[in-house]
Structure formats: structure tokens, C-alpha cells
């Protein structure tokens, strides 16, 4: 049975749980620059380079993965959000991209297999690919709207390098997450398609959009519905929303997405909105209560947490939705659905 088939089989039984934030959990370790840097001999300050811990201090991401599995997670997202050539260039570590991703995926795979062996419940590894700090749709120079920091082919190659290493390390899926630019996401899709051609097999995709305002648009201006129309051809295992806001702000957009997407819905919001100090203080039971409303309404298939969420948040969610039926996929009339910044459906 393929990873896609096994995942769909499990998702038909119950609402699945993905893990929570890594960055805020890593901060709890209060690591020094030397902890991050290890003995790699890199010239740049490494403090804050969370991804490199797979090489220099793997006990940190291992402990976090374990905590989320103990909390009830079915999916481990690799600690590789910024493990791409563009982001790692800020740390002078771009030459380590493949190694970081392979080791991160191997770590998550080993623990997923360990926990599956304990109780027989399948665990999955999602190879996390963040959006990078470049955008294909927008110019960073207000005086030159036609300027782009990166081209399509270059970004596809960046994504492909990361995706290939994640799959090599044992990832079941490639999670293209926190999508603020829909064109970046399409480059990610193209990269995975090229990787599939190289490997001669499917590499299933998960996708998650992030909203930049309460109207429900991402940075490139697409609504939730338009985004789905733009990426539906990738046949993602899951489509969803993460980051930016807490569960209360995402509520109307979760409803919209659940009614129009004929695939699984995965939502992992922040633990509320940050306070004046940038800290997240929404309690686990509060977050679980909010996402539990979506579960009761039959709007979600997979739940988890993003910024500020902890193993306690994930445990509370798992307990809240235990026994609730997963969302049923809508049966949609076959029509032509297109997208500019707004969705466009041709009359059938």
C-alpha cells in the first residue's frame, strides 16, 4: 500500500493529528550559538538556524518529535522549514542543504516507525518545505515593480533539491506550507513533479496556505477559493491553512475551504495571536475548543498547531476530537474552475 493509500485509509476512520510548532519549542532549550554551530566550522553566526540542529544537536528535534508523538500526533513534520539553499545562504550553510534534509527526515522516520511499532497505528512523515524569503509574484523594490529577486527555474531547482533529500531520508509526503505566494507554491509543485519523473514513482504533496489579512487572501492576493483552483491540479493529499492567525480568525475560511475542496482538509493554526511581547498565551484547552468546533461541524480531516502551539496543545486537540467523525469529501459537479486573484467558474 502506498503512503497516499495508507493515509487515506486512516483518514477515513478518524480525524488525524499532525504535530505543533518547532521554533517555539526549540526556543525553550535556550541554545547558544555554539550549540547551533557544533563543529561544522561555519563562518556565520548560526544562532536561530533551527534546521541545522539535525546535524549539530539532533537530541533537540528528537525530543520535540517524541513529545508530539506522545501527545497523540499521527504525523511528524520534519524540522526543515528553512532548509533550502536560499534561506541557508543567510547562515553560510547552503552547501549543507542536502545533508540537513536527509538527516531531519531520517530522524522523523525513525521515531515514526518506533511509535508505530509500539501500538500498530500508522505514523507518517511530512517533509516540510517553507516558502523561502523570496517571492516570484512581487517585486521587493517599490520603484521597480517588474524586478524579481529570483526566477522560476531557479526556485524550482531550490525546491527540487530539498524535496529530493527529504524523500531520500524517508519522508512520505512533501508538505509545501505557509504559502504566501501562490506562484512559489506552483514552483514547488513543479519541483515535485520533476522529482517524481526522476524516481519513477509518485511523491504525494500536501499544501497549506497562509493568510496575510482577515479578508482571506495571501500575500500574492489570492483568496482561499482562488488558491485551491490554482493548485488543485497537483492532486494534493491535503489542502489547508496554517500560521498567520489563531483558530478564531480562520473559522470562516476553514468553512469555505471545506465546502469546495475534494481532498482532505488539514488546518494547523497558531495558538491564538501573539501578545505585546510576541508570546503566544492561548491555553491548550482554548485552542482545542476552537478547532473542536470545526470537527463537530464536519469541516476537517487533520488538525494540528503552528506558532506557539506545544505538545499540550496537540494532546488537548487529540482528546477533543477523539471519536468524532472526519469530514466527508464533497461531490463536486465537473466544471471548469479557474483563478486570477478571485476564483472563476465557467457555467456548465
Amino acid at each position: 500500500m502506498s503512503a497516499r493509500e495508507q493515509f487515506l485509509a486512516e483518514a477515513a476512520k478518524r480525524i488525524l493529528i499532525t504535530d505543533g510548532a518547532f521554533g517555539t519549542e526549540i526556543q525553550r532549550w535556550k541554545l547558544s550559538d555554539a550549540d547551533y554551530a557544533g563543529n561544522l566550522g561555519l563562518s556565520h553566526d548560526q544562532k536561530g538556524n533551527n534546521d541545522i540542529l539535525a546535524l549539530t544537536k539532533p537530541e533537540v528535534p528528537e525530543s520535540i518529535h517524541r513529545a508530539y508523538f506522545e501527545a497523540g500526533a499521527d504525523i511528524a513534520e520534519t524540522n526543515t522549514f528553512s532548509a533550502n539553499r536560499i534561506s541557508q545562504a543567510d547562515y553560510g550553510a547552503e552547501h549543507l542543504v542536502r545533508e540537513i534534509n536527509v538527516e531531519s527526515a531520517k530522524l522523523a522516520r525513525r521515531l515514526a516507525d518506533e511509535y508505530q511499532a509500539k501500538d500498530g497505528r500508522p505514523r507518517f512523515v511530512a517533509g516540510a518545505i517553507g516558502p523561502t524569503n523570496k517571492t516570484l509574484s512581487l517585486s521587493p523594490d517599490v520603484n521597480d515593480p517588474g524586478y524579481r529577486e529570483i526566477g522560476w527555474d531557479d526556485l524550482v531547482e531550490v525546491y527540487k533539491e530539498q524535496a529530493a533529500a527529504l524523500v531520500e531520508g524517508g519522508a512520505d509526503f512533501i508538505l509545501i506550507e505557509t504559502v504566501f505566494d501562490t506562484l512559489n507554491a506552483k514552483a514547488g509543485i513543479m519541483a515535485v513533479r520533476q522529482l517524481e519523473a526522476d524516481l519513477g514513482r509518485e511523491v504525494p504533496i500536501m499544501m497549506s496556505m497562509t493568510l496575510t489579512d482577515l479578508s482571506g487572501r495571501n500575500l500574492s492576493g489570492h483568496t482561499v477559493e482562488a488558491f485551491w483552483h490554482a493548485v488543485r491540479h497537483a492532486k494534493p493529499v491535503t489542502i489547508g491553512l496554517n500560521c498567520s492567525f489563531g483558530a478564531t480568525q480562520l473559522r470562516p475560511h476553514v468553512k469555505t475551504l471545506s465546502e469546495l475542496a475534494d481532498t482532505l482538509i488539514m488546518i494547523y493554526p497558531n495558538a491564538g495571536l501573539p501578545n505585546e511581547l510576541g508570546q503566544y498565551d492561548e491555553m491548550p484547552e482554548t485552542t482545542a475548543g476552537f478547532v473542536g468546533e470545526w470537527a463537530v461541524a464536519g469541516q476537517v480531516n487533520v488538525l494540528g498547531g503552528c506558532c506557539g502551539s506545544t505538545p499540550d496543545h496537540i494532546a488537548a486537540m487529540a482528546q477533543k476530537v477523539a471519536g468524532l467523525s472526519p469530514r466527508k469529501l464533497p461531490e463536486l459537479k465537473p466544471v471548469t474552475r479557474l483563478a486570477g486573484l478571485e476564483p472563476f467558474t465557467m457555467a456548465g
Side-chain angles (χ1 to χ4, degrees):
M1 186 183 293
S2 70
R4 178 190 287 269
E5 291 168 338
Q6 189 174 37
F7 190 82
L8 293 177
E10 290 300 306
K13 302 174 188 175
R14 57 198 166 83
I15 295 172
L16 301 180
I17 302 294
T18 189
D19 58 17
F22 252 77
T24 43
E25 288 300 292
I26 289 171
Q27 287 173 14
R28 293 173 182 239
W29 284 72
K30 298 184 173 16
L31 301 174
S32 67
D33 176 48
D35 291 323
Y36 283 98
N39 58 4
L40 295 176
L42 296 170
S43 58
H44 291 52
D45 185 337
Q46 296 301 308
K47 192 163 187 178
N49 189 2
N50 292 338
D51 309 72
I52 210 165
L53 294 173
L55 306 183
T56 58
K57 212 166 182 59
E59 62 270 25
V60 175
E62 175 170 347
S63 74
I64 297 170
H65 279 310
R66 283 193 183 280
Y68 284 127
F69 278 133
E70 291 287 345
D74 299 286
I75 306 165
E77 298 175 26
T78 56
N79 180 37
T80 53
F81 186 81
S82 298
N84 60 76
R85 203 185 313 156
I86 295 169
S87 301
Q88 286 301 311
D90 293 341
Y91 296 99
E94 57 267 47
H95 61 291
L96 295 173
V97 162
R98 178 185 166 276
E99 190 177 354
I100 292 170
N101 284 281
V102 169
E103 291 306 315
S104 293
K106 280 183 177 179
L107 174 59
R109 176 82 272 154
R110 174 168 59 81
L111 294 176
D113 292 345
E114 176 188 319
Y115 277 83
Q116 180 171 332
K118 286 181 180 179
D119 59 14
R121 195 175 94 221
R123 305 301 203 285
F124 302 91
V125 175
I129 291 185
T132 80
N133 54 14
K134 309 292 183 188
T135 170
L136 288 172
S137 295
L138 304 168
S139 171
D141 184 354
V142 294
N143 297 313
D144 187 0
Y147 172 70
R148 296 293 183 271
E149 284 187 286
I150 192 169
W152 168 271
D153 290 341
D154 293 332
L155 189 56
V156 169
E157 185 56 38
V158 166
Y159 281 140
K160 185 180 177 184
E161 177 184 33
Q162 184 176 9
L166 288 167
V167 170
E168 180 184 343
D172 295 304
F173 313 104
I174 295 299
L175 170 60
I176 302 171
E177 66 173 345
T178 320
V179 176
F180 62 75
D181 183 343
T182 305
L183 195 55
N184 281 35
K186 287 189 168 190
I189 293 168
M190 175 66 79
V192 175
R193 289 290 177 262
Q194 291 181 1
L195 178 60
E196 288 177 325
D198 292 346
L199 298 176
R201 67 174 178 85
E202 183 194 27
V203 177
I205 291 173
M206 294 173 158
M207 302 203 75
S208 188
M209 175 189 189
T210 190
L211 306 179
T212 52
D213 62 54
L214 292 174
S215 72
R217 294 179 186 272
N218 65 359
L219 189 64
S220 57
H222 295 88
T223 65
V224 169
E225 190 171 355
F227 176 73
W228 170 240
H229 288 186
V231 301
R232 183 173 178 267
H233 66 282
K235 296 182 171 58
V237 182
T238 65
I239 187 76
L241 301 167
N242 76 292
C243 208
S244 295
F245 300 114
T248 54
Q249 293 81 18
L250 290 183
R251 180 182 288 116
H253 310 299
V254 172
K255 183 176 186 295
T256 297
L257 194 57
S258 72
E259 292 171 351
L260 65 91
D262 52 354
T263 192
L264 303 180
I265 299 294
M266 182 166 83
I267 311 292
Y268 47 120
N270 292 347
L273 296 175
N275 59 28
E276 306 80 32
L277 301 176
Q279 303 297 310
Y280 293 87
D281 44 25
E282 186 171 276
M283 298 302 291
E285 295 73 19
T286 305
T287 306
F290 292 143
V291 303
E293 293 174 7
W294 305 334
V296 170
Q299 296 174 345
V300 291
N301 303 97
V302 189
L303 286 170
C306 203
C307 301
S309 60
T310 68
D312 288 341
H313 287 81
I314 300 307
M317 288 183 197
Q319 292 164 13
K320 191 72 176 181
V321 304
L324 295 178
S325 298
R327 163 184 169 271
K328 290 181 170 53
L329 272 60
E331 293 185 14
L332 303 176
K333 178 183 175 183
V335 294
T336 300
R337 297 178 175 89
L338 306 173
L341 296 183
E342 307 282 344
F344 177 74
T345 300
M346 293 179 66

